[in-house]
Amino acid sequence: MISRKSADSRYIVLIGVAAIIIIAPVFLLSGLGWYFVSTVTEDEATEMAERHIQLAIAELAGEVGSEAAARVDSQECFDPLDYGATGRLAVHASQSIEGLPSRRPEGVVEVIYRYWNANGYQDISDARPEYLAVSARHGEDDFRVSISSNAVGGLTIRASSPCIWPKGTSAPETPWRRAPKPPDYPGHEMTDSARSVSPR
């Protein structure tokens, strides 16, 4: 006859084994850096980047001219700062502002700076007066934005997405390895937008 103490011990052992079976794969996959996570798609990221630019330009109330549409390109996240999976890409959009009839470039940058400061953008970096450049990161979608002078005497607004999966998720049949930790040197954090972003 099995004693109650022995039965309790077996029950505890069974619970422990079940927990190991459930939890161990999670730790294994995390340790190897294999992730099957969702992000916005490349098309969605393109729309979001263009939207960030359009909202900033709208603050100028038609006082300046701009290109008909933002230029957009995508680049692979070779060295993501979140040390996450490789195989992702970042979407970059840019639009030039030209012809500043009523405001000097400094005034335009100040308007955009105030807009970003009041509308959920964080980590605002202001290089003025040495350089006519301001950059920031949106607190919700993690997109990075900037405005700076360009070679033709105008201004350029840029928006970049975090690292995303082109189709919104990594393929289940294709485990992606964790990227190596990037080198630690000053300014590296400004070279890549690499946090994953989930669809809202």
Side-chain angles (χ1 to χ4, degrees):
M1 183 174 179
I2 300 175
S3 66
R4 178 167 181 171
K5 182 176 180 180
S6 177
D8 289 344
S9 297
R10 291 185 179 182
Y11 180 69
I12 293 173
V13 170
L14 288 175
I15 292 178
V17 171
I20 291 174
I21 292 174
I22 294 172
I23 296 174
V26 176
F27 280 99
L28 176 61
L29 293 178
S30 297
L32 292 175
W34 294 2
Y35 298 102
F36 305 126
V37 297
S38 297
T39 68
V40 296
T41 65
E42 183 176 0
D43 288 341
E44 290 170 336
T46 297
E47 293 178 1
M48 294 167 72
E50 291 176 334
R51 178 69 173 165
H52 278 289
I53 291 175
Q54 291 165 2
L55 289 173
I57 292 178
E59 289 298 302
L60 303 174
E63 296 183 32
V64 298
S66 65
E67 294 176 333
R71 291 173 292 178
V72 181
D73 65 83
S74 302
Q75 296 179 353
E76 184 176 354
C77 294
F78 290 106
D79 199 14
L81 296 180
D82 59 359
Y83 318 141
T86 58
R88 297 174 295 171
L89 56 81
V91 173
H92 306 283
S94 64
Q95 190 159 354
S96 295
I97 298 176
E98 300 166 353
L100 305 170
S102 58
R103 296 180 187 268
R104 294 189 304 167
E106 292 83 355
V108 172
V109 172
E110 179 63 21
V111 170
I112 302 302
Y113 167 80
R114 291 182 181 180
Y115 167 73
W116 287 340
N117 195 46
N119 287 275
Y121 292 85
Q122 304 172 357
D123 301 338
I124 296 179
S125 176
D126 190 347
R128 298 174 295 174
E130 287 80 9
Y131 303 98
L132 190 57
V134 174
S135 63
R137 176 183 62 82
H138 195 269
E140 293 185 7
D141 60 27
D142 232 19
F143 275 61
R144 295 184 179 274
V145 293
S146 67
I147 182 169
S148 61
S149 57
N150 58 36
V152 296
L155 297 167
T156 299
I157 297 183
R158 299 177 177 85
S160 298
S161 77
C163 290
I164 60 166
W165 295 108
K167 295 183 179 180
T169 184
S170 58
E173 69 275 11
T174 308
W176 298 87
R177 293 303 304 273
R178 181 187 297 273
K181 183 177 180 180
D184 183 15
Y185 59 85
H188 181 76
E189 68 277 8
M190 299 299 292
T191 64
D192 195 310
S193 55
R195 297 186 178 90
S196 294
V197 56
S198 299
R200 298 178 60 185

